[in-house]
Amino acid sequence: MSLRLFVAVGLAVGIGFGAVGEASACSCARVGRQAVLDRVPVAFHGVIESARPSADGRQVVARVRVVRAIKGRVPRVVTVTSVAIPGLCGYPLNPGAALDFAGLPDAAGVLDVNMCTMVPLNPSP
């Protein structure tokens, strides 16, 4: 095999593995809604009022108006973040969507969500 063909095959295989890795990187254990709610301190139903990329573009940052608390004490507006890449378990945070959210807010009150916590609570995106 010539060196050029060897390099071309190596690149094709490497690119193929990279694409498969990203597409299948998100894998969640199947759990039900109640299992998610049991292990988090905060859960609520809210409407996404706005969403924008983070400064580095790696996350989506959404402003969510809380319609009703499901569990715990929840302020009227919550900042929710998710990874911007669905293949890395990012959950789409589209303005206007009415969704249930659950998790552990950080010290600033920001709630980070992903496919593993959101899909058991909502229909698949």
Side-chain angles (χ1 to χ4, degrees):
M1 179 185 301
S2 75
L3 180 58
R4 190 180 319 188
L5 180 59
F6 180 76
V7 171
V9 169
L11 283 173
V13 169
I15 290 169
F17 283 140
V20 169
E22 183 173 318
S24 62
C26 183
S27 178
C28 305
R30 290 184 187 248
V31 297
R33 177 183 177 85
Q34 194 58 51
V36 171
L37 295 175
D38 286 346
R39 65 179 182 224
V40 298
V42 173
F44 61 92
H45 181 76
V47 176
I48 300 173
E49 293 185 333
S50 63
R52 62 174 173 73
S54 62
D56 64 7
R58 294 182 180 173
Q59 290 190 310
V60 175
V61 180
R63 175 185 165 90
V64 179
R65 178 177 42 86
V66 175
V67 175
R68 74 180 158 80
I70 297 170
K71 181 179 180 182
R73 295 181 59 125
V74 186
R76 291 182 11 200
V77 175
V78 176
T79 299
V80 176
T81 61
S82 187
V83 175
I85 302 167
L88 296 178
C89 290
Y91 192 86
L93 299 174
N94 299 317
L99 301 166
D100 288 345
F101 296 86
L104 172 64
D106 67 13
V110 175
L111 182 68
D112 188 54
V113 299
N114 59 51
M115 293 293 276
C116 299
T117 58
M118 293 295 285
V119 169
L121 301 176
N122 302 282
S124 294

